[in-house]
Amino acid sequence: MSSHLELRLGDCIAGMGALDAGSIDLVVTSPPYNLAIRYLSYADDQSREDYLAWSRQWLAGLRRVLAPAGSFFLNVGASPRSPLLPHQLALVASEFFTLQNTIHWIKSIAVDRPGQETFSVGHYKPINSPRFLNELQEYVFHFTLEGNVPLDRLALGVPYQDKSNIARWQHTRKKDRRCRGNVWFLPYQTIRSRQKERPHPATFPPELARQAILLHGRDRVRHMLDPFVGIGSSALAARAEGIEQFTGFEIDEGYLEVAKERLSELL
């Protein structure tokens, strides 16, 4: 199935105002975190009050366009200087939506195995501090209008480790598939040049958006939106899954050109 992807240069608040009410089935996005990240065309250092006031504006616009059975996946990270930011933004979002699930996106993890060396996998940015731990995860808050949207949980299902559970539990319906749960290990791909391959300072991998598509229910997504499309990770996922229509907004022309180049590589 071919997809119609529209990447628009401009502010998402005005852009969403031009969309029909209730026309969006799925939103996957990651707004600026207000952590003084060096974007090309955005000052990421507002006061917390101003940032949350601005967030209310775009969240209100998103609330208007989200379909009654739609899903809104909000990716937010933290830093040692602002550990409460994800939760503060989630509380503001809960003024407009109902929090249905909280997903933990794990970028790197160390696994202790009895009698074996600790196994570490994934990528992270180390913190040079005697006070704080390295940040190895971010939040993905799943919002809906009323908190009652059914999900295709087994679209992300994993096999049972203990196969006896297949026959023991009635809900398995004798299939070797269980809900993955709310912890997603999604490492970044190894890159040689950040400037060439991932020039945006804060982006999620396309696989995160793809899993959101599958969890919501691929066949129930006709129109997908990313108000902060950046270099196009969500658009890449939409194209890969054959989403009928995708709309993304971005205020920086440079990032938008990178997004278009990434999409052209899939043709």
Side-chain angles (χ1 to χ4, degrees):
M1 179 185 296
S2 61
S3 301
H4 175 67
L5 280 76
E6 186 174 10
L7 303 184
R8 303 181 185 178
L9 180 65
D11 178 77
C12 69
I13 297 175
M16 288 189 291
L19 299 176
D20 292 338
S23 63
I24 300 299
D25 302 299
L26 176 65
V27 178
V28 182
T29 197
S30 184
Y33 297 169
N34 204 44
L35 299 178
I37 294 173
R38 294 185 178 179
Y39 296 99
L40 295 180
S41 302
Y42 173 78
D44 194 43
D45 56 357
Q46 303 179 60
S47 70
R48 185 58 52 86
E49 292 76 14
D50 288 346
Y51 174 75
L52 294 177
W54 168 74
S55 296
R56 283 187 176 88
Q57 294 181 53
W58 68 261
L59 285 163
L62 199 156
R63 168 67 174 80
R64 186 187 69 84
V65 301
L66 190 67
S71 282
F72 163 33
F73 291 87
L74 173 64
N75 166 226
V76 191
S79 79
R81 292 188 298 108
S82 299
L84 293 178
L85 174 65
H87 311 288
Q88 290 174 319
L89 185 55
L91 283 173
V92 171
S94 69
E95 297 173 11
F96 304 92
F97 306 94
T98 299
L99 180 61
Q100 186 164 322
N101 291 284
T102 298
I103 299 163
H104 301 269
W105 165 29
I106 308 301
K107 303 177 182 180
S108 177
I109 190 169
V111 180
D112 294 318
R113 299 171 294 177
Q116 301 182 56
E117 185 177 359
T118 298
F119 176 68
S120 182
V121 61
H123 303 279
Y124 64 94
K125 183 178 181 180
I127 294 175
N128 184 22
S129 169
R131 296 183 295 150
F132 302 115
L133 301 176
N134 290 327
E135 293 280 352
L136 307 184
Q137 69 107 42
E138 292 190 13
Y139 294 95
V140 181
F141 298 111
H142 171 226
F143 288 100
T144 58
L145 296 187
E146 303 294 339
N148 57 4
V149 173
L151 301 174
D152 190 357
R153 303 197 314 158
L154 295 188
L156 302 182
V158 296
Y160 284 95
Q161 185 173 9
D162 182 353
K163 303 302 181 183
S164 66
N165 288 330
I166 301 172
R168 182 183 306 135
W169 294 340
Q170 186 176 3
H171 71 266
T172 66
R173 298 180 182 178
K174 298 184 178 180
K175 293 183 179 180
D176 188 11
R177 202 79 167 172
R178 68 168 179 82
C179 172
R180 179 180 297 267
N182 68 344
V183 177
W184 295 358
F185 173 57
L186 299 172
Y188 283 109
Q189 289 185 339
T190 301
I191 58 177
R192 295 184 178 181
S193 171
R194 183 178 181 90
Q195 184 59 35
K196 291 182 179 180
E197 299 177 61
R198 199 162 64 230
H200 194 284
T203 185
F204 52 75
E207 181 61 20
L208 187 147
R210 194 185 77 86
Q211 292 204 172
I213 293 170
L214 296 177
L215 181 61
H216 177 74
R218 162 64 192 82
D219 293 338
R220 296 194 294 119
V221 181
R222 298 175 303 280
H223 193 171
M224 179 175 168
L225 169 69
D226 186 345
F228 306 96
V229 76
I231 59 173
S233 291
S234 54
L236 288 169
R239 171 159 286 175
E241 289 301 318
I243 299 302
E244 183 178 338
Q245 185 174 1
F246 176 92
T247 302
F249 298 104
E250 174 56 47
I251 62 171
D252 187 273
E253 189 172 4
Y255 293 149
L256 203 63
E257 287 305 312
V258 173
K260 292 177 180 178
E261 290 175 7
R262 295 176 78 194
L263 286 168
S264 68
E265 294 173 359
L266 293 182
L267 296 178

